[in-house]
Amino acid sequence: MIRQVRFDKKGRVIKRLMQRIERGQWRKGSVLPGEHRLAEEFAVSRGTLREALAELKRQNYIATQSGVGSIVTYDGQPLDHHLGWARALAASGFSVTTELLDLALVHRPDLHDDHGHTDYVRIERRRITDTGVAVSLECALVPACDGLERLPDTGLVDGSVTASLAACGFIGTHGDQWVGCRPLDAREAQTLGRAEGTVFLAPVRVTRDPKNRFVERVDSLLDPAHFRMHLTFGAPPP
């Protein structure tokens, strides 16, 4: 019975912390209050609070940085919340802003066999830290149909690709991700403010809906100094 009560307390803390992060009360890059303060607020022991934080870290809602504490890494678009994909997450602790660089229709017949479309909306974004360092370049392709083709004129819904897709009935539930690395070409290097040939992580993610309909392809370039890969495998002990 004591173990059950402890589990319920931990589960309650996990749920409430996740809700605050998902609702934007604590945004990506912000530092959570200290363990003592959170333990007092939720009326749990420091041990229970630490177990809850460990679960948030496992699910990539937060990361820990020595001398700083627990830092929010959730940005509203987790690559894997329940599905077990390999995932890339920001764990640098910097506050990051997103710049929209391009929003345009493109014709890509070379991708028809892979995704079933030849026309796409191309969405290019760059993320920059509060110190002015560009840490990622992301190019998303979404199908230019069912209302999405109007995005270049209307803009993204609330600045979000996910919200824009959902508004047109595209809800991603599963997919695949591949991770490699490659040197930056001249254009990419200029956009990121790096030397041509600098090696970046280069994940590619393809998302599909419950009917296996193509939703989105995202090709990213990530500064390995600010991003890392996390893969969870096996089952934890009971």
Side-chain angles (χ1 to χ4, degrees):
M1 181 62 67
I2 293 177
R3 292 183 63 189
Q4 182 63 41
V5 170
R6 182 177 177 82
F7 174 80
D8 290 344
K9 285 184 176 181
K10 184 180 75 172
R12 173 173 55 85
V13 174
I14 292 170
K15 181 178 180 180
R16 291 179 64 181
L17 290 174
M18 283 181 172
Q19 287 175 340
R20 292 185 184 183
I21 293 172
E22 291 174 349
R23 292 170 182 170
Q25 182 174 341
W26 294 323
R27 296 184 180 278
K28 184 177 179 181
S30 62
V31 180
L32 267 60
E35 291 182 0
H36 180 72
R37 176 178 165 186
L38 288 175
E40 284 189 339
E41 178 182 350
F42 294 117
V44 297
S45 68
R46 293 280 289 275
T48 299
L49 189 279
R50 286 171 181 166
E51 290 177 5
L53 293 176
E55 178 60 19
L56 263 66
K57 183 177 180 180
R58 188 187 73 81
Q59 296 198 34
N60 291 335
Y61 276 74
I62 63 173
T64 56
Q65 185 170 330
S66 179
V68 177
S70 298
I71 302 163
V72 176
T73 55
Y74 177 84
D75 64 359
Q77 298 183 42
L79 302 185
D80 172 25
H81 183 51
H82 296 298
L83 303 176
W85 302 347
R87 56 203 278 181
L89 65 113
S92 64
F94 289 98
S95 175
V96 178
T97 59
T98 302
E99 295 181 339
L100 179 63
L101 303 180
D102 187 39
L103 183 58
L105 292 171
V106 295
H107 186 59
R108 292 289 304 274
D110 57 304
L111 294 178
H112 181 269
D113 290 345
D114 291 332
H115 308 316
H117 298 271
T118 57
D119 295 305
Y120 300 86
V121 177
R122 181 178 186 271
I123 307 161
E124 185 177 54
R125 299 184 295 178
R126 174 175 60 187
R127 288 185 170 87
I128 299 179
T129 70
D130 53 4
T131 60
V133 177
V135 295
S136 73
L137 184 64
E138 172 188 285
C139 178
L141 293 176
V142 301
C145 62
D146 297 325
L148 291 174
E149 70 278 5
R150 294 192 292 270
L151 286 180
D153 297 322
T154 62
L156 298 176
V157 176
D158 295 329
S160 167
V161 177
T162 301
S164 301
L165 286 165
C168 294
F170 289 83
I171 307 295
T173 59
H174 68 285
D176 297 284
Q177 179 164 282
W178 301 265
V179 181
C181 59
R182 65 174 179 81
L184 302 178
D185 63 25
R187 175 188 172 276
E188 294 162 347
Q190 182 178 16
T191 302
L192 290 165
R194 305 300 175 90
E196 184 176 354
T198 301
V199 176
F200 267 45
L201 293 171
V204 178
R205 185 177 83 248
V206 175
T207 306
R208 302 178 182 86
D209 72 3
K211 296 182 179 181
N212 215 36
R213 180 177 59 161
F214 171 75
V215 172
E216 180 186 23
R217 173 185 172 130
V218 181
D219 290 73
S220 300
L221 290 167
L222 310 175
D223 182 351
H226 296 281
F227 290 82
R228 61 188 173 95
M229 303 309 301
H230 176 211
L231 174 66
T232 299
F233 62 92

